[in-house]
Amino acid sequence: MIFRTLAVGALAATLGSQAHAQSTPPADGLSWSGIRPTLRLADGNFTMTPVARLDLHAGSYFGQPDGLGDRFSSGANMRRGRLGLRGTAAQDFSYNFTWEFGPSTPQEPPRGGRIFEASIAYKGINGVNLQVGAWTLPHTLAYASSSSELLTIERPSITAMATSVASGDTRFAAGGEVFGKRFYGSAFATQGVASTPYDNDQRGVVGRAAWLALDAETKVQLGFNGAFQADPGSNSGSSQRFRDYPELRLNSFRYIDTRSMAADSSWAYGPELSGMVGKMHYAAEYQIIGIDTPSGPSRSFDGWYLNLAYPLLGEPRRRADNNATWRRGRAADIDFNQNWGALEAVAGYSTVDLSDSPVRGGRQSIWTAALNWYPTQQLKLTTQYQNGSLGLPGRDRDFQSLAFAVVFSL
C-alpha cells in the first residue's frame, strides 16, 4: 500500500511538472524552429519572424501549328520573390508585412518591387479571425490555398478571373473569418489593389462558406463563394476586363481576353467540391463571372476545373480547419537514407469560355499532369506537362508545354 501511494504521488508530480513546462511560454530572445528564427520580446507579447519566398519557373512550349506569328515561347522567370516580417503583438494581434520583388507580369523589367501584404489581424476569440489591410483574400478554394501548396504550377484560369472582380492579391479589405472542425465562413468588404497607384475608387464584397459534410475514409466538403464589385476598373475607369495566361507564365501572351467592357458592376459566384477518397485528394470549382453594362444586357462567362492528387511518398493531404483547404501531407525531410520527403502525382482539367455575343473572348481547355516533390518542409520541386487547346475567333490552335518550378518558402 505504501509503495502504491508513493508511486501514485511520483506520477502525479511528474505529470504536474510536465504540464507546468508545457504551459510556460518560451523565454524572451531568439529561438529556432528548423531554419526559421523567431524573436520574442516583452514576455512573449511581441514576436517577429522573417518571411521569405522564391519561385523560379522555366518551361518550353511545343506542338503549336507552324507559321504562327504570335506563338507561345519558351522562357524562365522569377514568379515570386518576397521578403517580409510577421508575428504577434499583445498576444491577440498578428501582423504581416511582405514586399514582392518579383515582376507582376512575365518579362516585366525590375521596378524595385511593390507591397504584397500589409495587414493586421485580431485572433483573441477562438475560431475567429478579424483582419484589415491589404493581402490575398481567401476567396475561392484555389485562392484560399497557399500558392506554395498548389497542385499545379498556377491556379486554374477561371479562379484567377473570378478573383479579379473584387479580391485577388494585395486587395485592400476589412472583414473576418469564422471556423470550426467542420465549418468555415468569411466575408470581406474590399476596395482597390494596393500595388496599383490611386486604385481606391472600387467598392466590393466577397465571401466564402464551406462545410465538411462527410468526415470518414471518404471526406466531402461542400462550399460556395461569391464576389461583387461596384464601380469596377482601375482608377477612374468604370470597366471590367477578363483575361488570363494559359495557366503558365513564361511569356506575356494572354489569348483568352474579353478586352475592356464598360461596366456598372461586375460579379462572380459558384460552388466548390473537395475532399478525399481514401488517400486521393480531389478539388473542383465552377464559376460564373460577368458584368452589368450601362446599356444593353449583362454579359456572363463561365468555367470550371477538377484536380486529383495521390501521394506516392508521405502522407495524403489533410484538411486545414482555419481556412477549409487541403494542405500537403506530412513527411520527414530527405536524409538520403530512409526518408525522401513527400511526393504526389497530380492530374487535372480546366476550361473557361469567355464568349457571350458580341463579346468573343475565346475558349481555353487544358489537361495537366504533374509531379510535386517536397524534399524538405521549405522546398517544393514540380515537373508539369500541359496539353491545351484555344478556341479563338479565326485562329484556333493547340499547344503542349513542359515546365519546371522550384519553390522555397520560409
Side-chain angles (χ1 to χ4, degrees), residues 246-263:
E247 297 179 9
L248 192 61
R249 298 193 178 192
L250 298 180
N251 55 61
S252 58
F253 286 136
R254 286 180 277 188
Y255 287 113
I256 52 170
D257 187 350
T258 64
R259 306 294 191 270
S260 292
M261 302 169 287

PDB file of all heavy atoms in Angstrom, residues 246-263:
ATOM      1  N   PRO A 246      -2.129  30.934 -70.163  1.00  0.00           N
ATOM      2  CA  PRO A 246      -2.526  29.523 -70.305  1.00  0.00           C
ATOM      3  C   PRO A 246      -2.078  28.701 -69.085  1.00  0.00           C
ATOM      4  O   PRO A 246      -1.479  27.630 -69.233  1.00  0.00           O
ATOM      5  CB  PRO A 246      -1.810  29.095 -71.579  1.00  0.00           C
ATOM      6  CG  PRO A 246      -0.573  29.929 -71.598  1.00  0.00           C
ATOM      7  CD  PRO A 246      -1.002  31.274 -71.069  1.00  0.00           C
ATOM      8  N   GLU A 247      -2.369  29.216 -67.891  1.00  0.00           N
ATOM      9  CA  GLU A 247      -2.026  28.571 -66.623  1.00  0.00           C
ATOM     10  C   GLU A 247      -0.538  28.260 -66.524  1.00  0.00           C
ATOM     11  O   GLU A 247      -0.120  27.282 -65.904  1.00  0.00           O
ATOM     12  CB  GLU A 247      -2.896  27.327 -66.416  1.00  0.00           C
ATOM     13  CG  GLU A 247      -4.363  27.699 -66.302  1.00  0.00           C
ATOM     14  CD  GLU A 247      -5.279  26.510 -66.119  1.00  0.00           C
ATOM     15  OE1 GLU A 247      -4.770  25.395 -65.901  1.00  0.00           O
ATOM     16  OE2 GLU A 247      -6.511  26.700 -66.193  1.00  0.00           O
ATOM     17  N   LEU A 248       0.261  29.121 -67.153  1.00  0.00           N
ATOM     18  CA  LEU A 248       1.711  29.049 -67.102  1.00  0.00           C
ATOM     19  C   LEU A 248       2.238  30.416 -67.547  1.00  0.00           C
ATOM     20  O   LEU A 248       1.852  30.903 -68.607  1.00  0.00           O
ATOM     21  CB  LEU A 248       2.223  27.942 -68.031  1.00  0.00           C
ATOM     22  CG  LEU A 248       3.694  27.545 -67.899  1.00  0.00           C
ATOM     23  CD1 LEU A 248       3.993  27.009 -66.503  1.00  0.00           C
ATOM     24  CD2 LEU A 248       4.049  26.504 -68.951  1.00  0.00           C
ATOM     25  N   ARG A 249       3.093  31.030 -66.740  1.00  0.00           N
ATOM     26  CA  ARG A 249       3.543  32.390 -67.037  1.00  0.00           C
ATOM     27  C   ARG A 249       4.995  32.381 -67.485  1.00  0.00           C
ATOM     28  O   ARG A 249       5.906  32.648 -66.709  1.00  0.00           O
ATOM     29  CB  ARG A 249       3.365  33.291 -65.812  1.00  0.00           C
ATOM     30  CG  ARG A 249       1.917  33.434 -65.383  1.00  0.00           C
ATOM     31  CD  ARG A 249       1.749  34.550 -64.389  1.00  0.00           C
ATOM     32  NE  ARG A 249       0.362  34.732 -64.003  1.00  0.00           N
ATOM     33  CZ  ARG A 249      -0.096  35.771 -63.326  1.00  0.00           C
ATOM     34  NH1 ARG A 249       0.730  36.735 -62.958  1.00  0.00           N
ATOM     35  NH2 ARG A 249      -1.369  35.866 -63.018  1.00  0.00           N
ATOM     36  N   LEU A 250       5.198  32.081 -68.759  1.00  0.00           N
ATOM     37  CA  LEU A 250       6.536  32.099 -69.332  1.00  0.00           C
ATOM     38  C   LEU A 250       6.728  33.260 -70.285  1.00  0.00           C
ATOM     39  O   LEU A 250       7.860  33.658 -70.559  1.00  0.00           O
ATOM     40  CB  LEU A 250       6.812  30.783 -70.069  1.00  0.00           C
ATOM     41  CG  LEU A 250       6.786  29.516 -69.209  1.00  0.00           C
ATOM     42  CD1 LEU A 250       7.070  28.299 -70.067  1.00  0.00           C
ATOM     43  CD2 LEU A 250       7.780  29.610 -68.065  1.00  0.00           C
ATOM     44  N   ASN A 251       5.647  33.794 -70.847  1.00  0.00           N
ATOM     45  CA  ASN A 251       5.724  34.974 -71.702  1.00  0.00           C
ATOM     46  C   ASN A 251       4.459  35.794 -71.512  1.00  0.00           C
ATOM     47  O   ASN A 251       3.590  35.434 -70.719  1.00  0.00           O
ATOM     48  CB  ASN A 251       5.924  34.574 -73.175  1.00  0.00           C
ATOM     49  CG  ASN A 251       4.846  33.623 -73.654  1.00  0.00           C
ATOM     50  OD1 ASN A 251       3.675  33.970 -73.649  1.00  0.00           O
ATOM     51  ND2 ASN A 251       5.243  32.414 -74.051  1.00  0.00           N
ATOM     52  N   SER A 252       4.361  36.902 -72.221  1.00  0.00           N
ATOM     53  CA  SER A 252       3.293  37.865 -71.966  1.00  0.00           C
ATOM     54  C   SER A 252       1.989  37.573 -72.696  1.00  0.00           C
ATOM     55  O   SER A 252       1.016  38.320 -72.539  1.00  0.00           O
ATOM     56  CB  SER A 252       3.773  39.275 -72.354  1.00  0.00           C
ATOM     57  OG  SER A 252       4.160  39.311 -73.716  1.00  0.00           O
ATOM     58  N   PHE A 253       1.896  36.506 -73.504  1.00  0.00           N
ATOM     59  CA  PHE A 253       0.687  36.251 -74.279  1.00  0.00           C
ATOM     60  C   PHE A 253      -0.466  35.788 -73.384  1.00  0.00           C
ATOM     61  O   PHE A 253      -0.326  34.849 -72.601  1.00  0.00           O
ATOM     62  CB  PHE A 253       0.935  35.201 -75.361  1.00  0.00           C
ATOM     63  CG  PHE A 253       1.746  35.711 -76.519  1.00  0.00           C
ATOM     64  CD1 PHE A 253       2.774  34.950 -77.049  1.00  0.00           C
ATOM     65  CD2 PHE A 253       1.470  36.948 -77.080  1.00  0.00           C
ATOM     66  CE1 PHE A 253       3.521  35.408 -78.115  1.00  0.00           C
ATOM     67  CE2 PHE A 253       2.215  37.413 -78.150  1.00  0.00           C
ATOM     68  CZ  PHE A 253       3.251  36.656 -78.666  1.00  0.00           C
ATOM     69  N   ARG A 254      -1.609  36.467 -73.521  1.00  0.00           N
ATOM     70  CA  ARG A 254      -2.861  36.054 -72.885  1.00  0.00           C
ATOM     71  C   ARG A 254      -3.923  36.068 -73.978  1.00  0.00           C
ATOM     72  O   ARG A 254      -4.487  37.103 -74.299  1.00  0.00           O
ATOM     73  CB  ARG A 254      -3.222  37.007 -71.738  1.00  0.00           C
ATOM     74  CG  ARG A 254      -2.362  36.824 -70.514  1.00  0.00           C
ATOM     75  CD  ARG A 254      -2.724  37.777 -69.404  1.00  0.00           C
ATOM     76  NE  ARG A 254      -2.099  39.070 -69.576  1.00  0.00           N
ATOM     77  CZ  ARG A 254      -2.118  40.051 -68.660  1.00  0.00           C
ATOM     78  NH1 ARG A 254      -2.761  39.859 -67.520  1.00  0.00           N
ATOM     79  NH2 ARG A 254      -1.513  41.182 -68.883  1.00  0.00           N
ATOM     80  N   TYR A 255      -4.165  34.901 -74.552  1.00  0.00           N
ATOM     81  CA  TYR A 255      -5.034  34.845 -75.731  1.00  0.00           C
ATOM     82  C   TYR A 255      -6.508  34.956 -75.386  1.00  0.00           C
ATOM     83  O   TYR A 255      -7.270  35.604 -76.111  1.00  0.00           O
ATOM     84  CB  TYR A 255      -4.775  33.552 -76.507  1.00  0.00           C
ATOM     85  CG  TYR A 255      -3.466  33.572 -77.250  1.00  0.00           C
ATOM     86  CD1 TYR A 255      -2.423  32.735 -76.880  1.00  0.00           C
ATOM     87  CD2 TYR A 255      -3.259  34.447 -78.316  1.00  0.00           C
ATOM     88  CE1 TYR A 255      -1.219  32.753 -77.553  1.00  0.00           C
ATOM     89  CE2 TYR A 255      -2.063  34.482 -78.989  1.00  0.00           C
ATOM     90  CZ  TYR A 255      -1.038  33.624 -78.606  1.00  0.00           C
ATOM     91  OH  TYR A 255       0.159  33.658 -79.276  1.00  0.00           O
ATOM     92  N   ILE A 256      -6.963  34.285 -74.338  1.00  0.00           N
ATOM     93  CA  ILE A 256      -8.371  34.443 -73.963  1.00  0.00           C
ATOM     94  C   ILE A 256      -8.526  35.801 -73.281  1.00  0.00           C
ATOM     95  O   ILE A 256      -7.910  36.077 -72.258  1.00  0.00           O
ATOM     96  CB  ILE A 256      -8.847  33.287 -73.062  1.00  0.00           C
ATOM     97  CG1 ILE A 256      -7.916  33.082 -71.863  1.00  0.00           C
ATOM     98  CG2 ILE A 256      -8.991  32.014 -73.860  1.00  0.00           C
ATOM     99  CD1 ILE A 256      -8.463  32.118 -70.831  1.00  0.00           C
ATOM    100  N   ASP A 257      -9.345  36.660 -73.862  1.00  0.00           N
ATOM    101  CA  ASP A 257      -9.369  38.062 -73.436  1.00  0.00           C
ATOM    102  C   ASP A 257     -10.677  38.695 -73.910  1.00  0.00           C
ATOM    103  O   ASP A 257     -10.965  38.718 -75.098  1.00  0.00           O
ATOM    104  CB  ASP A 257      -8.168  38.781 -74.043  1.00  0.00           C
ATOM    105  CG  ASP A 257      -7.992  40.196 -73.528  1.00  0.00           C
ATOM    106  OD1 ASP A 257      -8.902  40.715 -72.844  1.00  0.00           O
ATOM    107  OD2 ASP A 257      -6.942  40.798 -73.821  1.00  0.00           O
ATOM    108  N   THR A 258     -11.454  39.209 -72.994  1.00  0.00           N
ATOM    109  CA  THR A 258     -12.700  39.869 -73.368  1.00  0.00           C
ATOM    110  C   THR A 258     -12.488  41.300 -73.852  1.00  0.00           C
ATOM    111  O   THR A 258     -13.427  41.916 -74.362  1.00  0.00           O
ATOM    112  CB  THR A 258     -13.653  39.919 -72.167  1.00  0.00           C
ATOM    113  OG1 THR A 258     -13.060  40.723 -71.132  1.00  0.00           O
ATOM    114  CG2 THR A 258     -13.968  38.531 -71.647  1.00  0.00           C
ATOM    115  N   ARG A 259     -11.280  41.820 -73.645  1.00  0.00           N
ATOM    116  CA  ARG A 259     -10.996  43.247 -73.819  1.00  0.00           C
ATOM    117  C   ARG A 259     -11.825  44.044 -72.791  1.00  0.00           C
ATOM    118  O   ARG A 259     -12.676  43.516 -72.099  1.00  0.00           O
ATOM    119  CB  ARG A 259     -11.289  43.728 -75.247  1.00  0.00           C
ATOM    120  CG  ARG A 259     -10.598  42.938 -76.342  1.00  0.00           C
ATOM    121  CD  ARG A 259      -9.086  43.109 -76.273  1.00  0.00           C
ATOM    122  NE  ARG A 259      -8.410  42.589 -77.447  1.00  0.00           N
ATOM    123  CZ  ARG A 259      -7.965  41.343 -77.582  1.00  0.00           C
ATOM    124  NH1 ARG A 259      -8.192  40.468 -76.620  1.00  0.00           N
ATOM    125  NH2 ARG A 259      -7.330  40.964 -78.664  1.00  0.00           N
ATOM    126  N   SER A 260     -11.544  45.312 -72.673  1.00  0.00           N
ATOM    127  CA  SER A 260     -12.232  46.149 -71.690  1.00  0.00           C
ATOM    128  C   SER A 260     -13.685  46.361 -72.088  1.00  0.00           C
ATOM    129  O   SER A 260     -13.983  46.671 -73.252  1.00  0.00           O
ATOM    130  CB  SER A 260     -11.527  47.493 -71.561  1.00  0.00           C
ATOM    131  OG  SER A 260     -10.256  47.343 -70.971  1.00  0.00           O
ATOM    132  N   MET A 261     -14.588  46.194 -71.117  1.00  0.00           N
ATOM    133  CA  MET A 261     -16.017  46.369 -71.348  1.00  0.00           C
ATOM    134  C   MET A 261     -16.554  47.393 -70.353  1.00  0.00           C
ATOM    135  O   MET A 261     -16.261  47.318 -69.152  1.00  0.00           O
ATOM    136  CB  MET A 261     -16.741  45.028 -71.136  1.00  0.00           C
ATOM    137  CG  MET A 261     -16.260  43.904 -72.023  1.00  0.00           C
ATOM    138  SD  MET A 261     -16.944  42.276 -71.496  1.00  0.00           S
ATOM    139  CE  MET A 261     -16.002  41.991 -70.002  1.00  0.00           C
ATOM    140  N   ALA A 262     -17.317  48.343 -70.830  1.00  0.00           N
ATOM    141  CA  ALA A 262     -17.947  49.309 -69.930  1.00  0.00           C
ATOM    142  C   ALA A 262     -18.847  48.572 -68.952  1.00  0.00           C
ATOM    143  O   ALA A 262     -19.602  47.684 -69.339  1.00  0.00           O
ATOM    144  CB  ALA A 262     -18.749  50.325 -70.729  1.00  0.00           C
ATOM    145  N   ALA A 263     -18.753  48.926 -67.676  1.00  0.00           N
ATOM    146  CA  ALA A 263     -19.464  48.149 -66.663  1.00  0.00           C
ATOM    147  C   ALA A 263     -19.942  49.041 -65.526  1.00  0.00           C
ATOM    148  O   ALA A 263     -19.200  49.886 -65.029  1.00  0.00           O
ATOM    149  CB  ALA A 263     -18.569  47.046 -66.122  1.00  0.00           C
TER     150      ALA A 263
END
